[in-house]
């Protein structure tokens, strides 16, 4: 089954936040010395927060319906601005302001499944 592609009806605002999640094995020793190494092959996970400001009511409904349909656990493809190719993402956190000016925020997590 092919993955759905997220194609929002409006481009996200310019305030997209990128905040990687880095997973390391770390050992601290008594004399202040420490050692770190990556935990697994995909130890850097992209996390982005997309925000849409000034949405029309139908645009907000479309974006929210996409995330609700996937239920927070199903992966989808999306190509954020500045990335060379679409990546696989999940989204289990979003919020909306339904009164004017309407806005929508979604936190996407890079999926390695």
């Amino acid at each position: 089954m092919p993955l759905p592609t997220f194609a929002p009806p409006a481009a996200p605002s310019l305030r997209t936040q990128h905040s990687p999640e880095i997973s390391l094995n770390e050992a601290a020793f008594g004399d202040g010395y420490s050692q770190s190494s990556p935990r697994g092959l995909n130890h850097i996970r992209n996390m982005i927060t997309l925000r849409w400001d000034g949405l029309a009511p139908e645009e907000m409904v479309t974006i929210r319906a996409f995330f609700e349909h996937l239920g927070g656990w199903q992966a989808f493809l999306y190509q954020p601005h500045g990335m060379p190719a679409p990546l696989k993402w999940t989204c289990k956190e979003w919020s909306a302001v339904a009164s004017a000016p309407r806005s929508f925020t979604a936190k996407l997590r890079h999926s390695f499944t």
Side-chain angles (χ1 to χ4, degrees):
M1 180 170 121
L3 290 176
T5 298
F6 180 48
S13 302
L14 297 176
R15 297 187 300 174
T16 298
Q17 295 177 343
H18 295 264
S19 51
E21 180 181 273
I22 300 174
S23 181
L24 300 174
N25 293 315
E26 298 178 281
F29 301 97
D31 58 357
Y33 177 76
S34 65
Q35 261 185 323
S36 300
S37 64
R39 185 178 292 161
L41 295 174
N42 298 312
H43 74 285
I44 299 175
R45 182 183 301 267
N46 290 312
M47 308 283 282
I48 60 172
T49 302
L50 301 175
R51 181 179 173 99
W52 291 266
D53 294 312
L55 289 172
E58 60 276 1
E59 292 173 328
M60 186 181 320
V61 168
T62 301
I63 294 170
R64 184 174 53 222
F66 180 85
F67 293 124
E68 286 176 353
H69 175 73
L70 296 176
W73 63 274
Q74 291 179 323
F76 58 91
L77 295 174
Y78 176 65
Q79 183 173 354
H81 179 73
M83 291 203 173
L87 298 175
K88 198 177 347 175
W89 303 89
T90 57
C91 179
K92 63 179 182 177
E93 291 183 55
W94 60 84
S95 62
V97 175
S99 59
R102 291 169 191 84
S103 66
F104 193 91
T105 303
K107 293 183 180 181
L108 277 55
R109 187 171 195 250
H110 192 182
S111 175
F112 297 115
T113 58

